Amino acid sequence: MANFNWCHGPECHKKHTQDRVRGVKGSKVLRTRKIKLNKWNENHFFRFFCSNHCYDNFASKYIEQIIAIAPRTEALETPILNPERKTHTYHYGFNNEHSYNRTETKIEVDETRQS
Ligand SMILES: [Zn+2]
């Protein structure tokens, strides 16, 4: 198995960077970046893409096909307990002389209704 991938970004070979320049004088090219496979990218999309830019380009160009892999035709739901709204008072400052209130809504998954 090869120990590298070519970047899958459809525009990768069009970016004007020095590290993409290849070939002999008179027939120079900008070439798709080669990505070495290693333990940092083995479980990440960065083993197929040299940058977020290339990943975004790929996703934008092929989004219809990507979505076709696992189309979402109806909303998913996660059962939760009735949300609890609570106001807490937080203190700060050298002698806790300042305070402010913050209202938070606690949302918890209802484990008894998991499918
Ligand atoms: Zn790239």
Side-chain angles (χ1 to χ4, degrees):
M1 207 173 87
N3 63 349
F4 70 90
N5 286 322
W6 294 108
C7 175
H8 282 56
E11 306 289 318
C12 192
H13 64 293
K14 294 178 181 172
K15 292 275 277 178
H16 295 189
T17 65
Q18 209 165 352
D19 70 301
R20 288 176 168 92
V21 175
R22 291 290 185 276
V24 295
K25 219 172 188 179
S27 56
K28 293 282 186 184
V29 295
L30 289 170
R31 185 180 291 163
T32 298
R33 276 181 173 159
K34 186 184 269 191
I35 300 158
K36 286 191 180 119
L37 301 179
N38 56 45
K39 66 176 177 173
W40 289 282
N41 65 17
E42 67 183 348
N43 294 315
H44 197 276
F45 68 72
F46 280 131
R47 69 187 184 274
F48 297 109
F49 299 96
C50 74
S51 65
N52 271 316
H53 188 80
C54 281
Y55 177 75
D56 289 346
N57 283 348
F58 181 89
S60 297
K61 184 171 182 179
Y62 297 110
I63 191 63
E64 298 297 333
Q65 285 125 295
I66 295 167
I67 292 303
I69 296 165
R72 172 87 56 241
T73 55
E74 53 191 55
L76 302 180
E77 293 181 347
T78 301
I80 59 169
L81 302 171
N82 290 332
E84 256 181 83
R85 222 170 135 69
K86 275 188 181 165
T87 300
H88 299 274
T89 302
Y90 295 92
H91 299 275
Y92 63 101
F94 189 70
N95 291 313
N96 281 335
E97 69 271 31
H98 304 291
S99 68
Y100 64 95
N101 290 330
R102 188 181 152 131
T103 302
E104 292 160 333
T105 304
K106 190 177 171 190
I107 296 177
E108 276 186 295
V109 172
D110 184 350
E111 304 291 348
T112 66
R113 292 192 295 142
Q114 293 302 303
S115 52

